[in-house]
Amino acid sequence: MSNFDQSIFTLKFFVSGGLSVANGVEFTPIPVNADLVRIDAYAGTAPTGTNVLTVRVNKNGTGIQTFSFVAAAQKAVVTLAYPVTSGTTGIDDSQPNLTAPSGNTGFNYILPEFPGLVTLGSFIPGDNVSVDVTVVGGTIAGSNLSALLTFVKK
């Protein structure tokens, strides 16, 4: 369980066993004003085959970030915040097994105490955050998906 009294807090989502395409596999209400600033995802068994494992994070049932694991990759990290020079991928360069999230216009890792922060999504009390599995691996679907969402309280 998260400590919502902290200025930075995390929520963990876990989908046990073999993965299949499903909407709203996990959801949690957000009780404070907060910005989503980072997503760390891990598959216990990596997806393989022609398809890749694709995960969508939702705010009140509407997708705000979609990202994919590269085939045979077990980890994906989305870290966005400050505009950087055009032509960059916006992907944490230390995590090569991630494709660019939808709507990415070129961002890099965050330092929330600075102005001009661009977030992955803003939430107010009563909003729900949920996770969907939208595509699974073609040969091996992948299994035991964990997603850790990091928020900065406003």
Side-chain angles (χ1 to χ4, degrees):
M1 187 53 142
S2 183
N3 183 351
F4 296 108
D5 294 331
Q6 300 298 315
S7 60
I8 296 176
F9 62 92
T10 59
L11 295 175
K12 184 175 182 179
F13 294 87
F14 182 71
V15 182
S16 180
L19 299 174
S20 60
V21 173
N23 290 327
V25 293
E26 286 274 339
F27 80 94
T28 299
I30 303 293
V32 296
N33 292 315
D35 289 327
L36 175 62
V37 295
R38 181 179 172 110
I39 303 167
D40 292 89
Y42 179 81
T45 301
T48 64
T50 56
N51 296 332
V52 294
L53 176 59
T54 302
V55 178
R56 180 174 50 231
V57 175
N58 304 302
K59 173 183 169 183
N60 298 324
T62 300
I64 58 171
Q65 289 296 321
T66 301
F67 59 95
S68 298
F69 290 72
V70 173
Q74 286 184 288
K75 185 175 182 181
V77 178
V78 181
T79 57
L80 307 181
Y82 294 99
V84 293
T85 58
S86 62
T88 62
T89 63
I91 298 169
D92 179 350
D93 292 330
S94 68
Q95 303 299 331
N97 296 323
L98 176 68
T99 59
S102 62
N104 186 353
T105 56
F107 298 94
N108 215 337
Y109 189 70
I110 61 105
L111 295 173
E113 62 271 16
F114 292 101
L117 178 70
V118 178
T119 69
L120 298 169
S122 292
F123 292 79
I124 61 172
D127 283 346
N128 286 305
V129 61
S130 62
V131 174
D132 300 340
V133 176
T134 60
V135 178
V136 295
T139 304
I140 295 175
S143 69
N144 298 324
L145 174 68
S146 294
L148 184 68
L149 282 57
T150 302
F151 293 84
V152 174
K153 189 174 171 183
K154 293 195 258 184

